[in-house]
Amino acid sequence: MPIIARTLTQSNQLRRRAERFLPGGVDSPVRAFRAVGGEPPFLSRAEGAHLYDADGNQYLDYFGSWGPMILGHAFPPVVRAIQQTAADSSSFGASTAAEADLAELVTRAVPSIEKLRFVSSGTEATMSALRLARAFTGRNYIVKFEGCYHGHSDGLLAKAGSGLATFGIPGSAGVPDQIAQLTLTLPYNDTAAVEAAFATHKNEIACIIVEPVAGNMGCVPPQPGYLKTLRDITSREGALLIFDEVMTGFRVAYGGVQELSGIQPDLTTLGKIIGGGLPVGAFGGRAEIMDKLAPLGPVYQAGTLSGNPLAMAAGIATLSHLEQNRASIYAQLDQTATAVANGVAAAATEAGIPLTTNRQGAMFTWFFTPNPVRDFATAEFADTNRFAAFHRGMLDRGIWLPPSQFEAAFLGAAHTTDHVHQTIAAAREVFAALKP
Ligand SMILES: *Cc1c(COP(=O)(O)O)cnc(C)c1O
């Protein structure tokens, strides 16, 4: 598995040009590779499990556009659906049949969702779900957990994992204290902290929003019984439970974490996979709650491009394929992800490098720490310098990992056993070079 002599001449030119017009040369901060060093390649195309940069270098993709590309890039049915739909116009700003088609697929997969509304990003989905939860309960406080990321709306940026963890930013500048104060941020996987918050703020907490398997501090699954306790406490206290399944929906299982755990939230937010790589989000839940939305109810929420026909078409093509091949695809994803996660972990052990591997289905993180990672505090023990060196070494060998210790890796249905072997061989070399 030799180091590939990559030239990044084109990429570097494109980056310098982008930096003239875009802050940091990017439209989303983690893309700038600041946490891992080195120059981010500019991508020009992708197919199946492989990415190609502007200089023609090939990479095996372990981030899948941060989750959506579960069927691989340029999956022919998705490409066809987008092309055929575009020929009939890319936007109307009026209703089309496709919205109910995708909604029906989603509700069939996620039975706790009786009704839903489409938006254009995960951020919009969580932001709107919170507004709805506050209106439904008549309460103002929300509970979120350290290291969980729910998009970048003002009230959700406290200790929000993902890019903020990557850059060591506790919250964001520009969020008024008055707004931040309404967000109670508690440690993940700690039920006593939740009890205490509800005791202190009796009848004031509108909802708990949680990544039911966390992915934005790296992959951190819930402890046994944790989600059930969140369900019990919110039911008892008259608060809503919101599962943010933007990442986990159709990823850890077709029906998301709620299928795996059997725990039903009041509201669910979705995104990523349901748009098949186009910009989509959705929030949904019990009809009684969803019917508070305008035009039926008093909660305003709208979007010029919401339910966009191209996005609906890509989503329908993706979910129909997943639904029809559900058993085989998720079994294969689990098998491939287990093989690569454990294979790389074994290579680290051989090299004497302490590594903790967390995985849930085709979503996993190699934490450079010997200790179990069960919340943000334990995730932060990870050696981010060592992760950065690992990331660079893997990239030099044509393996593209997410560019931060605090982002989950993904693989998709296009990943094969050969790809897994290639990855493990590359990791073995990188670990040998990293040896203390
Ligand atoms: C990606 C993500 C979001 C935000 O979605 P965007 O489409 O990037 O706005 C929200 N919640 C979770 C759990 C996510 O992984």
Side-chain angles (χ1 to χ4, degrees), residues 28 66 120-126 148-152 156 162 209-216 243-248 269-272 279-281 363 407 410:
S28 199
W66 305 96
S120 299
S121 69
T123 294
E124 265 186 275
T126 56
C148 285
Y149 178 69
H150 305 291
H152 63 90
L156 286 170
S162 192
I209 185 165
V210 62
E211 285 184 73
V213 168
N216 285 291
F243 275 6
D244 181 355
E245 299 226 47
V246 170
M247 184 183 286
T248 53
T269 53
L270 295 166
K272 299 196 168 108
V280 185
M363 167 176 165
E407 301 284 0
F410 304 107

Side-chain angles (χ1 to χ4, degrees), residues 77-378:
V78 174
V79 173
R80 268 197 305 276
I82 295 170
Q83 284 171 338
Q84 283 167 6
T85 307
D88 291 330
S89 180
S90 51
S91 183
F92 303 105
S95 295
T96 65
E99 293 155 67
D101 290 345
L102 184 54
E104 189 175 356
L105 275 164
V106 170
T107 55
R108 195 151 67 217
V110 187
S112 75
I113 301 181
E114 292 171 0
K115 284 189 176 180
L116 70 158
R117 177 162 288 176
F118 289 110
V119 291
S120 299
S121 69
T123 294
E124 265 186 275
T126 56
M127 182 184 83
S128 308
L130 290 190
R131 184 179 306 143
L132 189 55
R134 283 175 163 145
F136 186 78
T137 58
R139 301 173 179 183
N140 285 336
Y141 282 90
I142 61 157
V143 167
K144 80 173 283 293
F145 299 101
E146 289 171 14
C148 285
Y149 178 69
H150 305 291
H152 63 90
S153 70
D154 283 350
L156 286 170
L157 279 179
K159 298 189 183 157
S162 192
L164 289 100
T166 302
F167 295 106
I169 304 174
S172 171
V175 177
D177 288 346
Q178 290 90 331
I179 290 179
Q181 276 160 13
L182 294 175
T183 304
L184 307 172
T185 306
L186 310 178
Y188 192 72
N189 270 328
D190 179 345
T191 52
V194 179
E195 287 288 10
F198 275 91
T200 309
H201 295 279
K202 192 82 193 152
N203 299 326
E204 292 180 331
I205 297 173
C207 63
I208 292 179
I209 185 165
V210 62
E211 285 184 73
V213 168
N216 285 291
M217 51 181 138
C219 178
V220 180
Q223 298 287 303
Y226 179 62
L227 298 175
K228 166 130 196 339
T229 305
L230 297 184
R231 178 67 281 178
D232 291 346
I233 295 174
T234 44
S235 298
R236 187 189 75 208
E237 299 291 336
L240 298 187
L241 180 61
I242 305 175
F243 275 6
D244 181 355
E245 299 226 47
V246 170
M247 184 183 286
T248 53
F250 304 91
R251 161 65 53 187
V252 299
Y254 187 65
V257 180
Q258 45 201 290
E259 176 187 314
L260 290 179
S261 65
I263 305 294
Q264 301 239 319
D266 301 294
L267 291 174
T268 300
T269 53
L270 295 166
K272 299 196 168 108
I273 290 174
I274 64 161
L278 272 78
V280 185
F283 61 105
R286 297 211 313 271
E288 164 203 17
I289 305 171
M290 293 303 291
D291 285 348
K292 297 286 181 217
L293 284 178
L296 295 182
V299 180
Y300 195 70
Q301 192 287 327
T304 302
L305 293 177
S306 293
N308 174 265
L310 298 187
M312 296 297 105
I316 291 165
T318 301
L319 295 200
S320 332
H321 186 85
L322 287 172
E323 187 184 60
Q324 279 154 29
N325 301 281
R326 180 175 177 160
S328 61
I329 286 184
Y330 288 93
Q332 184 211 325
L333 286 172
D334 205 63
Q335 209 171 29
T336 325
T338 306
V340 79
N342 294 351
V344 168
T349 305
E350 277 164 37
I353 290 180
L355 195 74
T356 290
T357 305
N358 282 3
R359 186 185 67 82
Q360 183 80 60
M363 167 176 165
F364 53 93
T365 300
W366 295 298
F367 288 101
F368 284 82
T369 167
N371 306 314
V373 175
R374 44 166 288 159
D375 57 16
F376 191 47
T378 46

